[in-house]
């Protein structure tokens, strides 16, 4: 990686680009980079780490002033078992591989996590066939679930109301910020560099099978041998900046906001509680953090653009949904917490789409890898996604 310098805005040259908590650096003119990763969410950081460990020189460009500010920090922090996804899909394969790798990673590095398990509940007898469909999908993916009667479920979680449930012992929770800090630290220890406040605004094909990158309105002067687009909800927009990439290779971006509400007081549950999944999401579920605090969400709110403001007006729908499996939820117990926007590549009226990891075999542009539709279970699958990208990166 041949560089002129990375400098602190308003200051002198920086010795490193260790950009925690909004430290401000800017990218000065550069010649060529081996690998440029666009986006410092959890997947971008995992990809950067994997490529750096493989000996590649990696530069991470992040538009915001710190890493992991969007979907990576606006989710349920759940480690998914791999239950719901179409057998043979990238989501299914990478979720299972990523789940096991993530538990190992957290255990070996002391990252906060807990394999607490989760219950998928049928709120009424009419929903019991839905549990059967979920169980069949899990079996097809090689995920073991335990079918529980109502009495067996209440023996585990007495505050629940349900007709039956499925117990997923492999589901858990994670400190996602601690995980991202660890990914970044390992990437940087292998010479990767993160530069925040660097919004990619131009892309162009360059000689030698390179992609030229312009940042913050500057001409596309930085040439990358390998460019990995991990921009999340903005990935289709970033891909469309490249004039040499045919439109048919870039999916339409759709936006589904997931609102979260926090619970005042301690929840009477030791496990994650999920209803049956719905189109576009897994239903308004109860998740716990590592301190035992509970929050509910996300719902699925299809919107026209990326808007991460929590919609407090959704509260009544939350109370109704939660009380189907927890009737004792008290009035006034919920408070708006935060919202995230899923990077959808399908609309409310279309079948759910798989992850897309598009390399030159898909679009014909040497050195370009686009990651589209990396929504849930992206956090769980992040290490496996990184491995997949590393195999494809030239």
């Amino acid at each position: 990686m041949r560089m002129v310098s990375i400098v602190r805005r308003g200051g002198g040259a920086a010795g490193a680009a260790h950009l925690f908590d909004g430290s401000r650096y800017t990218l000065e003119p550069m010649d060529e980079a081996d690998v440029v990763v666009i986006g410092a969410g959890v997947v971008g950081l995992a990809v950067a780490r994997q490529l750096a460990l493989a000996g590649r020189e990696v530069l991470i460009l992040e538009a915001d002033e710190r890493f992991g500010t969007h979907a990576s920090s606006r989710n349920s922090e759940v480690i998914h078992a791999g239950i719901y996804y179409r057998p043979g899909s990238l989501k299914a394969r990478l979720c299972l591989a990523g789940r096991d790798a993530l538990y190992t990673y957290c255990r070996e590095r002391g990252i906060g996590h807990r394999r607490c398990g989760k219950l998928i509940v049928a709120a009424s007898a009419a929903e019991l066939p839905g549990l059967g469909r979920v169980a069949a999908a899990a079996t097809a993916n090689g995920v073991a679930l335990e079918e529980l009667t109502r009495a067996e479920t209440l023996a585990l979680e007495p505050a629940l109301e349900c007709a039956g449930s499925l117990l997923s012992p492999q589901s858990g929770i994670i400190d996602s910020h601690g995980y991202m800090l660890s990914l970044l630290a390992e990437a940087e220890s292998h010479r990767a560099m993160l530069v925040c406040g660097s919004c990619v605004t131009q892309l162009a094909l360059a000689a030698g099978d390179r992609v030229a990158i312009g940042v913050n309105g500057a001409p596309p002067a930085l040439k990358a041998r390998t460019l990995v687009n991990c921009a999340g909800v903005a990935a289709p927009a970033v891909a469309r900046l490249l004039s040499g990439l045919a439109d048919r290779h870039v999916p339409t971006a759709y936006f589904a906001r997931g609102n979260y509400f926090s619970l005042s007081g301690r929840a009477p549950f030791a496990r994650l509680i999920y209803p049956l999944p719905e189109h576009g999401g897994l239903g308004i579920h109860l998740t716990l953090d590592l301190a035992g605090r509970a929050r509910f969400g996300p719902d699925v709110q299809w919107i026209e653009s990326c808007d991460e403001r929590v919609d407090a007006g959704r509260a009544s729908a939350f109370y109704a949904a939660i009380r189907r499996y927890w009737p004792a939820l008290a009035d006034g117990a919920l408070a708006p917490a935060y919202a995230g926007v899923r990077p959808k590549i399908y609309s409310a009226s279309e079948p759910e789409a798989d992850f897309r990891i598009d390399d030159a075999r898909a679009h014909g542009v040497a050195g370009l890898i686009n990651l589209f539709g990396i929504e849930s279970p992206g956090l769980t699958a992040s290490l496996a996604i990184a491995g997949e990208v590393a195999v494809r990166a030239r």
Side-chain angles (χ1 to χ4, degrees):
M1 187 188 301
R2 296 188 297 278
M3 310 173 60
V4 174
S5 63
I6 292 177
V7 299
R8 185 184 297 274
R9 297 176 192 169
H18 198 134
L19 304 183
F20 294 150
D21 301 323
S23 298
R24 296 167 66 85
Y25 291 79
T26 188
L27 191 64
E28 289 294 288
M30 299 174 62
D31 179 7
E32 184 168 315
D34 180 18
V35 178
V36 172
V37 175
I38 301 175
V42 67
V43 172
L45 293 174
V47 167
R49 167 190 172 271
Q50 185 69 43
L51 292 173
L53 289 175
R56 307 291 297 271
E57 291 185 302
V58 181
L59 176 68
I60 313 162
L61 300 180
E62 168 55 47
D64 285 333
E65 297 300 327
R66 55 179 60 86
F67 62 88
T69 59
H70 295 290
S72 297
S73 59
R74 296 170 174 269
N75 58 67
S76 299
E77 294 189 299
V78 169
I79 301 176
H80 290 287
I83 297 167
Y84 306 97
Y85 316 111
R86 177 173 54 81
S89 66
L90 279 176
K91 283 185 177 181
R93 178 167 63 83
L94 297 178
C95 183
L96 267 68
R99 176 201 72 197
D100 294 340
L102 187 54
Y103 276 126
T104 299
Y105 185 97
C106 290
R107 184 176 63 253
E108 291 179 347
R109 291 161 179 80
I111 306 299
H113 71 289
R114 185 164 72 247
R115 199 184 306 231
C116 56
K118 82 175 179 183
L119 290 168
I120 306 166
V121 300
S124 66
E127 291 187 350
L128 288 173
L131 289 185
R133 290 189 290 272
V134 171
T139 298
N141 284 330
V143 179
L145 300 178
E146 184 179 349
E147 296 186 35
L148 303 180
T149 65
R150 180 179 185 277
E152 290 168 333
T153 304
L154 298 186
L156 295 178
E157 299 287 1
L160 277 178
E161 178 53 54
C162 67
S165 71
L166 298 170
L167 174 63
S168 169
Q170 294 171 305
S171 300
I173 53 177
I174 183 174
D175 172 5
S176 60
H177 188 70
Y179 173 48
M180 287 189 284
L181 280 172
S182 177
L183 291 172
L184 177 57
E186 289 195 18
E188 288 184 325
S189 72
H190 288 80
R191 301 176 59 195
M193 302 183 80
L194 168 64
V195 183
C196 293
S198 297
C199 180
V200 174
T201 50
Q202 295 188 59
L203 294 172
L205 297 180
D209 287 337
R210 302 299 194 258
V211 178
I213 304 157
V215 175
N216 297 336
L222 167 64
K223 298 180 181 67
R225 179 185 176 200
T226 300
L227 177 64
V228 188
N229 175 8
C230 295
V233 72
V238 168
R240 291 188 191 281
L241 295 173
L242 183 58
S243 59
L245 182 65
D247 285 346
R248 68 180 182 276
H249 297 306
V250 183
T252 300
Y254 298 94
F255 308 97
R257 178 163 53 202
N259 297 282
Y260 288 85
F261 285 73
S262 60
L263 177 71
S264 61
R266 199 171 185 89
F269 301 106
R271 298 162 185 82
L272 311 178
I273 310 298
Y274 276 62
L276 289 172
E278 58 183 306
H279 181 69
L282 299 180
I284 295 175
H285 52 264
L286 177 146
T287 187
L288 304 167
D289 64 18
L290 292 168
R293 294 182 295 263
R295 57 187 179 268
F296 292 93
D299 59 354
V300 179
Q301 185 181 15
W302 294 91
I303 53 179
E304 293 299 316
S305 61
C306 185
D307 184 345
E308 295 176 328
R309 294 172 295 180
V310 62
D311 185 351
R314 309 283 284 187
S316 59
F318 269 68
Y319 279 103
I322 297 162
R323 283 170 174 158
R324 296 193 69 238
Y325 56 83
W326 186 29
L329 175 64
D331 289 340
L334 300 180
Y338 58 90
V341 176
R342 304 167 177 90
K344 300 287 189 185
I345 53 173
Y346 60 92
S347 70
S349 60
E350 294 176 314
E352 295 191 10
D354 197 7
F355 289 163
R356 281 179 54 176
I357 303 175
D358 292 2
D359 57 19
R361 293 171 297 178
H363 51 61
V365 178
L368 174 66
I369 302 176
N370 283 318
L371 277 65
F372 297 129
I374 310 296
E375 53 176 332
S376 181
L379 171 61
T380 303
S382 54
L383 292 173
I385 292 171
E388 184 79 15
V389 170
V391 168
R392 301 182 187 208
R394 62 178 177 86

